[in-house]
Amino acid sequence: MTDHPTPADPADLDATDPLAAYRDRFVGADSPLVYFDGNSLGRPLRGTGERIGRFVDEEWGGRLIRGWDEGWLDLPLTLGDELGRVVLGAAPGQTAIGDSTTVLLYKLLRAAVAARPGRSDIVVDRDNFPTDRYVAEGVARECGLTVRWLDVPHDGGITPDLLATVVDERTAVVLVSHVAYRSAFRADLPALVDVAHAAGALLLSDECHSVGAVPVRLDEWGVDLAVGCTYKYLNGGPGSPAFCYVAARHQGGLRQPVQGWMGHAEPFAMGPGFEPASGVRAFLSGTPPVVGMLAMRDMVTLLDEAGIDAVRAKSVALTSYAVDLADALLPEVRLASPRDPERRGGHVTLDHPAMQAVTARLWERDVIPDFRHPDGLRLGLSPLSTSFTEVRDGITQVREALDAVA
Ligand SMILES: *Cc1c(COP(=O)(O)O)cnc(C)c1O
């Protein structure tokens, strides 16, 4: 048993947190509820209700169908560029918004395997998010390919060395989560890109658990393709549309399978056959989900103001504090996330056989983490809406719940 230093006083940490004031911008931050699930569904911003109401009254109600020509049709690309600049490290013209992460994964994975004819494998790890694994299996079945499964450590994820053991001239695509949804392992994405490219394969990165919490530099790292959702750390609201990134060098060479009118070169010509639009617009399929894009827009503006590097610094401080508290107060639990903050994303998972019952008890008491089978308690600490006092209160309640149910 190692000796752990006494964790800091959360009031001191909140008092010196340069981003502390941002918490007041979120709905519900003034209530005693402890929210540890901002990595699953971010809290709404206080301005979101008014923003949506104004849209109904003025834009939708006032402009009606004219709105399509006054910005709505371009919103997937204009807001995509904004997302690219603020949180993805992507130059304009490579990011588009629409569909769900699942559908965009399908579209990009299908396009990627078609761009590597003669290659048989899609590489995915067994601990990737279910939808990523299922989409890979579906594309493999559809195209007569093989999913090459990678086993990863319980508190870790895909390292370059591990990836190098399975990637070779058979590999068409490597599908990897930048931050693993369960363990929070933060992959060394540029090094993984190098491994994939050395074998002539493409790399498709899922940014669902990183975007908005962890700096992402898609252009600089040479990532080929990426997807991510906007209702987690981008606070877009339940079911807000996802984004995709297609590196400029691949546009034109890749064809996605859901060719609808919004990806056509001239949607309103309504011509007889499909001609893809140039650029990332070719990856759109149907009518843009305009209402679903309103809430995330304000969060992107807020992240721009706070700065993603400062957000990451607070995220590291929050997860490190959670680990310190778990070490001191919950000696019987096992850390199922990396101990090294450099390798950790914005959440922490703690394993114990009683965690399912603990989670149920915590929810009754307005402490909201989530549970991941078989015995993981997942604490998502959304940097701008979570305080150190909230972390302390929540983990004190985990102690109480473990005592009550164990
Ligand atoms: C949340 C998440 C998804 C969600 O996909 P949807 O299509 O929005 O349901 C996909 N992949 C990962 C890694 C996620 O964390």
Side-chain angles (χ1 to χ4, degrees), residues 267-287:
F268 295 97
M270 309 214 165
F274 184 78
E275 279 298 325
S278 60
V280 76
R281 186 178 280 286
F283 291 82
L284 299 180
S285 296
T287 300

Side-chain angles (χ1 to χ4, degrees), residues 150-208:
L150 202 51
D151 287 307
V152 294
H154 188 67
D155 60 352
I158 301 186
T159 59
D161 287 348
L162 201 54
L163 186 62
T165 64
V166 294
V167 168
D168 57 26
E169 71 289 344
R170 291 170 298 183
T171 312
V173 191
V174 175
L175 170 58
V176 59
S177 281
H178 185 192
V179 170
Y181 84 104
R182 194 194 47 76
S183 72
F185 179 81
R186 175 178 157 269
D188 182 351
L189 215 42
L192 298 183
V193 166
D194 288 346
V195 172
H197 286 181
L202 295 168
L203 185 132
L204 167 49
S205 166
D206 186 326
E207 300 291 340
C208 282

